[in-house]
Amino acid sequence: MRSTSGYWSASGLGVLAQPGWLALGVVIGTAWQLQQQELWPLGWHVLPAVLVALVALVALVAQGSGLLRAWPRPQAGWPVALARPTLILLTGAAVAFGLVGWRSHERQLDRLDPSLRGMEVLLTGVVATLPIRGAQGQRFVFEVESAEQRGQPVKVPRQVQVGVWRPAQGAGPDVAPELPDFHAGDRWRLPVRLRPVHGLSNPHGGDRELHAWSQGIGAQASLRPGARWLGSTDRHALERWREGVSTRLQQRLQSTGHGGVLAALAVGDQDAIAPDDWQLFRRTGVAHLMAISGLHITLFAWLAVALLGRAWRLSGRLWPALLMRWPATRVAAVGGWCAAATYALAAGWGVPAQRTVLMLALALWLRASGRHWPWPVQWLVVLAAVLLLEPWAWLQAGFWLSFVAVGILMATGGPGGQSGRGRLSAALGLLREQVVITLALTPLSLWLFGETSVVGLLANLVAIPWVSWVVTPLTLLGGLLPALWDLAALALDPLHRLLVFLADSDRAVWSRAAWPWPWALAALAGAVLAVMPWPPLLRCSGLLVLAWALTWTPDRPALGHFRLLALDVGQGSAVLVQTRHHALLHDTGPAWGAAGDAGARVVVPTLKALGVVPDRIVVSHRDTDHAGGARAVRLAWPEATWLSSEPSLAPTPCHSGQQWRVDGVHFEVLSPLAEDYTPAGRGRLTSNAMSCVLRVEAADGTSAVLTGDVDAPRETRLALARPDLRTDLLMSPHHGSRSSSSPVLLNVWRPSVVIVQAGFMNRFGHPAADVLERYRARQISVFDSPSCGAAGWHSAAPRQVTCERQHRMRYWHARVEPAANPPTGSLRP
């Protein structure tokens, strides 16, 4: 009869062993807790851990009292073999679930009180992070010591992200008239206007609120006039040191343009890298190298081990007792780990740094204790440790890219494999490693970002050794001898030129529609199977699974119908209209100054992730909240046909009477009139009045009207000129401004649904209260982007609107009340 331990080993359950099952439980418990839309009561989080602890206590008491020996010994088999790992797994899951829930409740209590939204308060505290500076301002995390409103103390979150921006022409009152010089560790008294953390919500888009939550930021604020410096402190000395190094480096290398990249390599200041450089690194697949990565920390640890070992052996010649008491190998290993941990902390302690430091610590402990754990156990234990430190990293792309890459390398034998020795071996090892990583991470990149670099393999073969062995060491040594920073910039220049050459092609990046998660998991499993050191038949089957996953295509509207997606771009407009085989984009989103524009950061990534290629783009008028993303959109789809009332945006002006039909769907421009243009093609009316108004009608008569910023006089003209027109969906004119949505237009067109694209707590007060009252009086369902996120609508279901923000809602998201509640019986956002 086979014993329980025999089943434990022979069945494969023993591969993970007890630490592996415990770590797997931690991962499951963390992932389970992060799925909550509303945060459960604290008792429900603690209850599983308490129950598991009671079971363990009863088992220990029974074992100590001899009760278990009195029971008949169960026969060995699968049930008995499963009992131990199941109990260990449940223990890890319960503990992790309770810990994450407890930390979440702490942060929930530290959020901004709803009564302080939009209010001005006086904060006293210390700048806690390295300020992120740009051409139009800066932002930083402020550690609050006290807060008051009208002389009375108020409770605010412990950490507030403060933004201060330079004055701009036509700027509203939220823009500070001055830009003080903030530094980490300085104490300030700041008059600010508070607001909850709120981010844009689009399909396959990022989650700004999750990032703020994970950093412990409970509110954001805009600086008001009257800030007062109260002196420097000794707090946050590490952040002050990082800021000093980054500033000196960028000032010294300002003429080369590489100061930001070297600052990221030296102290992890990734925000110092210019947006154009980030775009270049993403297109060539080397973005992971242009910051503190696990590879850099491992290299630093290896160099520290070599230097410490050499120095300790030399000192042992003078004091032989040192080597007898503390062997050089152990001293070098511990010292190398301490050096790596110090470097990781100095670089900001990101997820890749945490993973590397913990992996090195585990390897050091296993070696010192003489233990040998299989690679899945090591990988799971480090993954669980990172999640215990930073549980919300589970939902971040960098976490998955880092751990999947390391797991693949561990499973396939590590860098270099067994190809031999010498320089040829190193080159072959690097090539093998990059082929494996590229194939394994391609499905993950396509899922997370909707694109992957085609030239990444070649770029990394050059960039990894050059950055790791030349640029990074020179950058780090430059802290002791600043002249070496000049050499580091000089070494980076040829690599930068090569990357520009590789990226200067339309085929440098492969984009495709992002998979649904079941297809993505199948694609990732197929890629992993293909690179594992297993029999060729299994590896070929992995390639077949991957090829099958690549056949997936997103669904399209039926012929004669269309789908509309009002993107969440803040205070601006961008609307996608998709038919069976074609797509139209109406407006390109706002420009955000030095922070970029919605075209590059929202519109283009979202459309690529959806697998949409617009063949016609209409920019309603020249205002930057509608045309700010035009450049990025034009670069992404240069073959598209453009229409606009602004001649600098499109050679063909839009005017009433223009119409076309695709896939059984009718498109018609309603405004402006042809006579509203001068002979030179310029508009005779104001910018808003020249908005291109587009009507889209399905084969069954269901219709939507995209209005831009058209004003009330033009609305009245449209309604009276075509009194027979009706519409099911109306994009609220001018973001719900008082100057639009006239009663005449609403009475004639009779929309049943209105979508308002406006920014969260915007300074214009959009949508206006009286406009909302007009909608409410006519029983019109209203959906606004701050509470709904990207709003989806389909001509086949004209009274239904899907809200991306509600679909993605988790407990860390700010609860935003809809601007206007829909009438009874209609769909609520």
Side-chain angles (χ1 to χ4, degrees):
M1 182 179 296
R2 183 178 292 177
S3 65
T4 302
S5 59
Y7 270 95
W8 175 265
S9 301
S11 64
L13 296 174
V15 172
L16 291 184
Q18 295 184 16
W21 288 110
L22 185 65
L24 182 59
V26 170
V27 172
I28 293 174
T30 302
W32 179 27
Q33 198 280 338
L34 297 180
Q35 301 308 309
Q36 299 175 21
Q37 291 191 348
E38 296 283 349
L39 190 60
W40 293 3
L42 184 58
W44 285 103
H45 285 97
V46 178
L47 182 61
V50 172
L51 292 177
V52 170
L54 287 176
V55 172
L57 181 62
V58 170
L60 288 175
V61 171
Q63 185 176 10
S65 62
L67 292 178
L68 291 181
R69 290 192 294 271
W71 284 48
R73 186 176 185 88
Q75 293 185 353
W78 278 99
V80 177
L82 284 172
R84 183 166 59 174
T86 300
L87 181 60
I88 295 173
L89 185 145
L90 291 177
T91 300
V95 171
F97 185 81
L99 287 175
V100 179
W102 174 62
R103 293 177 62 181
S104 298
H105 272 275
E106 279 194 326
R107 299 197 178 189
Q108 190 82 287
L109 294 173
D110 195 42
R111 304 187 83 168
L112 181 66
D113 191 301
S115 64
L116 293 178
R117 291 187 178 187
M119 298 297 174
E120 294 187 17
V121 299
L122 186 64
L123 303 180
T124 301
V126 178
V127 178
T129 61
L130 191 155
I132 300 173
R133 296 182 172 89
Q136 292 189 334
Q138 58 183 304
R139 68 182 187 273
F140 52 87
V141 175
F142 195 64
E143 193 174 83
V144 179
E145 298 173 338
S146 63
E148 58 183 65
Q149 184 183 33
R150 301 187 183 95
Q152 298 297 319
V154 293
K155 182 181 181 300
V156 301
R158 290 190 295 266
Q159 291 193 118
V160 176
Q161 186 178 67
V162 178
V164 52
W165 314 108
R166 297 185 187 279
Q169 184 176 2
D174 281 339
V175 180
E178 298 178 357
L179 186 61
D181 194 16
F182 294 100
H183 298 285
D186 284 358
R187 178 176 281 112
W188 285 81
R189 182 166 293 156
L190 304 178
V192 299
R193 176 168 293 167
L194 294 172
R195 56 189 291 180
V197 179
H198 183 278
L200 305 179
S201 184
N202 291 286
H204 309 290
D207 193 340
R208 180 169 173 260
E209 292 167 68
L210 172 64
H211 177 74
W213 175 276
S214 67
Q215 300 298 314
I217 298 172
Q220 56 187 13
S222 56
L223 186 67
R224 308 290 293 158
R228 187 155 65 95
W229 183 67
L230 301 180
S232 298
T233 71
D234 57 358
R235 293 161 59 181
H236 306 291
L238 180 60
E239 292 297 309
R240 179 182 285 273
W241 174 81
R242 293 178 63 215
E243 179 186 358
V245 173
S246 177
T247 301
R248 292 195 303 271
L249 215 162
Q250 293 182 72
Q251 289 176 348
R252 184 182 184 94
L253 302 178
Q254 186 174 7
S255 60
T256 67
H258 299 320
V261 176
L262 297 187
L265 291 173
V267 294
D269 187 8
Q270 299 185 35
D271 295 289
I273 300 179
D276 289 343
D277 281 341
W278 270 126
Q279 181 68 14
L280 172 66
F281 300 149
R282 291 191 184 101
R283 286 183 62 84
T284 52
V286 300
H288 64 102
L289 283 175
M290 304 306 169
I292 303 299
S293 67
L295 181 63
H296 299 151
I297 295 175
T298 303
L299 171 64
F300 189 78
W302 182 85
L303 291 174
V305 167
L307 293 175
L308 284 172
R310 178 73 173 174
W312 196 256
R313 290 185 180 92
L314 290 176
S315 62
R317 296 179 180 178
L318 300 177
W319 300 284
L322 286 177
L323 293 178
M324 298 295 294
R325 186 174 181 85
W326 295 293
T329 54
R330 181 170 298 181
V331 170
V334 174
W337 181 85
C338 292
T342 302
Y343 182 28
L345 288 171
W349 195 239
V351 169
Q354 295 177 31
R355 185 259 304 160
T356 305
V357 171
L358 291 173
M359 193 75 77
L360 292 173
L362 179 61
L364 183 63
W365 177 76
L366 290 175
R367 182 177 180 181
S369 62
R371 290 177 171 86
H372 175 72
W373 287 357
W375 74 262
V377 177
Q378 299 182 45
W379 185 79
L380 272 174
V381 167
V382 174
L383 188 147
V386 170
L387 290 179
L388 288 175
L389 292 173
E390 185 59 56
W392 299 281
W394 176 264
L395 299 175
Q396 297 173 9
F399 172 87
W400 288 104
L401 290 171
S402 176
F403 271 99
V404 170
V406 170
I408 290 299
L409 289 178
M410 295 175 71
T412 56
Q418 305 293 329
S419 53
R421 299 178 179 179
R423 295 182 179 180
L424 179 60
S425 169
L428 292 176
L430 178 61
L431 176 61
R432 171 188 172 276
E433 175 188 353
Q434 285 308 305
V435 171
V436 167
I437 289 296
T438 300
L439 180 57
L441 293 188
T442 291
L444 192 58
S445 298
L446 290 174
W447 182 27
L448 295 173
F449 309 115
E451 63 181 23
T452 188
S453 176
V454 176
V455 299
L457 176 60
L458 177 59
N460 277 282
L461 285 174
V462 178
I464 287 178
W466 190 251
V467 172
S468 300
W469 294 99
V470 179
V471 178
T472 299
L474 288 173
T475 303
L476 296 179
L477 292 173
L480 302 176
L481 186 62
L484 293 179
W485 284 341
D486 300 324
L487 292 179
L490 190 63
L492 186 61
D493 193 62
L495 176 63
H496 191 274
R497 294 176 185 274
L498 174 63
L499 297 179
V500 170
F501 172 77
L502 293 176
D504 191 21
S505 170
D506 295 336
R507 299 183 179 181
V509 175
W510 175 32
S511 301
R512 61 158 289 126
W515 285 296
W517 69 265
W519 288 77
L521 291 181
L524 182 59
V528 170
L529 190 61
V531 300
M532 293 294 287
W534 290 341
L537 185 60
L538 287 177
R539 303 177 73 174
C540 291
S541 66
L543 290 175
L544 290 176
V545 172
L546 178 58
W548 169 76
L550 292 172
T551 63
W552 177 85
T553 57
D555 67 307
R556 308 289 185 186
L559 289 174
H561 280 285
F562 66 95
R563 183 165 54 207
L564 181 145
L565 180 66
L567 297 173
D568 186 6
V569 293
Q571 186 64 26
S573 179
V575 182
L576 171 68
V577 179
Q578 190 177 5
T579 64
R580 182 66 177 176
H581 301 293
H582 298 271
L584 176 143
L585 180 65
H586 190 271
D587 287 332
T588 60
W592 295 322
D597 59 79
R601 296 178 59 180
V602 177
V603 177
V604 172
T606 302
L607 266 60
K608 286 186 175 181
L610 294 174
V612 173
V613 178
D615 45 38
R616 193 181 296 264
I617 298 168
V618 179
V619 182
S620 61
H621 58 301
R622 66 173 179 265
D623 287 3
T624 55
D625 58 335
H626 293 252
R631 178 177 177 272
V633 172
R634 194 184 302 275
L635 288 175
W637 298 291
E639 304 299 326
T641 301
W642 287 65
L643 289 176
S644 179
S645 60
E646 171 57 38
S648 64
L649 293 172
T652 305
C654 59
H655 59 80
S656 61
Q658 291 174 324
Q659 51 187 310
W660 61 93
R661 182 180 297 273
V662 293
D663 300 331
V665 178
H666 183 253
F667 294 78
E668 180 182 4
V669 178
L670 303 179
S671 184
L673 303 175
E675 50 265 31
D676 291 335
Y677 293 92
T678 67
R682 307 294 302 182
R684 301 180 186 273
L685 308 175
T686 63
S687 177
N688 286 350
M690 291 298 295
S691 291
C692 303
V693 179
L694 180 66
R695 185 173 188 270
V696 187
E697 183 178 355
D700 62 0
T702 306
S703 65
V705 177
L706 287 60
T707 57
D709 282 349
V710 66
D711 57 7
R714 251 49 58 182
E715 292 178 352
T716 303
R717 185 180 69 183
L718 283 171
L720 297 180
R722 301 281 294 275
D724 57 318
L725 288 183
R726 300 290 183 268
T727 187
D728 297 276
L729 170 68
L730 177 68
M731 294 301 302
S732 183
H734 199 184
H735 319 287
S737 167
R738 289 187 177 90
S739 63
S740 302
S741 297
S742 61
V744 174
L745 181 77
L746 299 178
N747 291 338
V748 173
W749 283 1
R750 303 176 190 174
S752 57
V753 175
V754 165
I755 296 177
V756 182
Q757 288 184 299
F760 175 64
M761 294 182 65
N762 63 86
R763 61 189 176 91
F764 305 103
H766 295 160
D770 49 353
V771 170
L772 293 174
E773 183 56 36
R774 292 176 207 159
Y775 296 152
R776 189 178 297 110
R778 292 163 177 81
Q779 299 290 295
I780 301 173
S781 299
V782 181
F783 298 83
D784 61 290
S785 49
S787 65
C788 181
W793 182 88
H794 201 295
S795 62
R799 295 190 63 84
Q800 297 181 10
V801 174
T802 59
C803 291
E804 182 66 22
R805 185 173 182 83
Q806 302 305 318
H807 173 69
R808 302 173 60 181
M809 181 63 67
R810 294 295 183 269
Y811 59 81
W812 53 81
H813 291 131
R815 266 47 182 179
V816 181
E817 290 297 324
N821 291 324
T824 303
S826 64
L827 182 68
R828 291 182 179 273

